[in-house]
Amino acid sequence: DDVAAFVPSAATEVVGSPAAAAASAIAGEGFVDYPVSEASREIAARLTKSKQEVPHYYLSVDLELDALLSLRETLNASLSEEEQLTVNDLMLKAAALAMKTVPDVNASWMETVVRNYTRCDINVVVGVGDGLVHPVVKDAGSKGVKAISDEVRALVDGAQEGTLAAEDCASGTFTILNLGMYGVKSAQPIVSQPQAATLALGAAEERVLPNDDPESEQIYRLATMITATCSFDHRVVDGAVGAQWLAAYKKLIESPITMLL
């Protein structure tokens, strides 16, 4: 859950780890105490505050990736090795477009008002060593997939090199994290205030599905699937609205050619 709500307050702020604090660790009988940095304490307080104050609820949906993988292959055929699009790039674009279909999710609870945003700025969780940074892709809905891919690649490189500027790590209006590389099937992330939703993507896997093709002699078919789980702030996003957003996201992922419209 801690991967969902980390928004650095400085350009190189990263979640502290035991390895980073090893030099000042205090060993006792049967235990080791690692000092917690001010940044880590701030993050811990923010996570606790969000979990305590935000009425979370969670919706999950299974997404079929085969059409998206096919589109990615077609697009990458015209790109150099260094410019190859990733599945994440397309899924990030789909999230931004789903906000246009269901704009009430792209909002914040402001106590006396609900603030709806006119553009979707997406924070992407990036692992850096044993820590995390949370760079932002601004106005993702207005950018092409290639532009998003180039920007994400530059942000990841900057995170790994410690060269991100403070504005690169500003809080966006939505957060995406992908735990698929760890084999995690699904996750229920903490909503990152003041955002109203956070999307977690699980590992892609082949699953056997009923074959709906009336012309096929096969009863079942294989499909590449992932589970996507979105955490919502119930003060901002009612359950039906959250379901509408996930349905719009699923439609874009499974019919990715519509992202070009």
Side-chain angles (χ1 to χ4, degrees), residues 36 70 168 214 218:
V36 180
S70 178
D168 294 328
Q218 301 298 321

Side-chain angles (χ1 to χ4, degrees), residues 150 171 173 258:
D150 291 343
S171 179
T173 64
T258 59

Side-chain angles (χ1 to χ4, degrees), residues 65-141:
L65 294 183
D66 293 287
L68 185 138
L69 293 172
S70 178
L71 175 63
R72 172 178 172 262
E73 183 179 2
T74 299
L75 295 173
N76 278 342
S78 62
L79 298 174
S80 68
E81 190 68 28
E82 296 76 21
E83 297 176 309
Q84 296 288 290
L85 306 177
T86 68
V87 172
N88 280 347
D89 298 330
L90 291 161
M91 300 192 82
L92 190 152
K93 175 65 176 180
L97 291 178
M99 290 298 183
K100 293 185 177 181
T101 303
V102 189
D104 286 346
V105 175
N106 196 38
S108 293
W109 178 259
M110 306 299 287
E111 298 298 338
T112 58
V113 299
V114 171
R115 177 172 297 170
N116 277 77
Y117 299 101
T118 57
R119 73 180 197 184
C120 184
D121 299 339
I122 299 181
N123 289 108
V124 182
V125 177
V126 177
V128 181
D130 292 329
L132 300 167
V133 292
H134 211 246
V136 62
V137 178
K138 296 181 179 179
D139 200 9

Side-chain angles (χ1 to χ4, degrees), residues 161-177:
E161 296 168 2
T163 58
L164 292 179
E167 63 181 21
D168 294 328
C169 297
S171 179
T173 64
F174 186 68
T175 294
I176 294 180
L177 61 141

Side-chain angles (χ1 to χ4, degrees), residues 32-47:
V32 179
D33 289 337
Y34 295 97
V36 180
S37 68
E38 182 178 349
S40 293
R41 290 195 298 270
E42 178 185 344
I43 293 161
R46 191 182 304 129
L47 284 166

